[in-house]
Amino acid sequence: MFTNGLLLWPKISEELSECLEWIRFNVGVADAHSYGKYYGVSGSAFNTVCDNIHYYCALKNQKSEAGIGTAVNKDNFKFAKNIPFTAIKLGATYCQIKPDILLMRSKKYINWWTDCV
């Protein structure tokens, strides 16, 4: 399951944790200020997402691998650098930083990816 985790309330987490093999949370950035700037929402949304991810990862009946992943582009690269540390802090079992598939046809993006990553 892919989710941003914003609406993954405790009751939903408990039900999903019993049947999912894996869940990947798309966070995109590593702190509340960056989250608000990148997604155009309040910083409290980031805190809600983190609380929901942490709750899910801490469930004792959890049968799934829980990770944080994000597609990286030049707009969020500087915000995404600390996502692995956020993943560890929240109890995720893995972190995935990957190219933005929507930009893969752009030679400019491929050159940027090659130079920066």
Side-chain angles (χ1 to χ4, degrees):
M1 177 178 172
F2 295 97
T3 180
N4 67 7
L6 188 59
L7 301 178
L8 198 64
W9 300 303
K11 182 171 176 37
I12 296 169
S13 286
E14 292 164 10
E15 291 176 11
L16 289 175
S17 71
E18 294 178 11
C19 61
L20 292 178
E21 289 184 30
W22 59 269
I23 186 167
R24 185 176 312 143
F25 298 96
N26 178 29
V27 178
V29 298
D31 61 71
H33 175 73
S34 301
Y35 195 86
K37 188 174 180 180
Y38 187 69
Y39 291 109
V41 297
S42 75
S44 64
F46 179 79
N47 296 329
T48 299
V49 167
C50 288
D51 289 347
N52 291 347
I53 293 169
H54 182 62
Y55 183 85
Y56 185 91
C57 292
L59 287 171
K60 293 187 183 347
N61 64 337
Q62 176 191 346
K63 297 177 183 175
S64 57
E65 292 284 322
I68 293 177
T70 190
V72 176
N73 56 54
K74 68 180 183 176
D75 294 329
N76 74 336
F77 182 70
K78 68 181 178 179
F79 303 133
K81 289 181 179 181
N82 289 321
I83 289 176
F85 302 107
T86 301
I88 291 167
K89 181 178 140 185
L90 297 176
T93 53
Y94 67 91
C95 180
Q96 178 189 41
I97 307 294
K98 61 184 180 178
D100 189 331
I101 196 165
L102 299 175
L103 300 174
M104 294 298 289
R105 291 186 178 175
S106 165
K107 183 173 172 101
K108 186 176 179 181
Y109 176 76
I110 296 299
N111 289 338
W112 171 84
W113 177 264
T114 303
D115 291 342
C116 289
V117 180

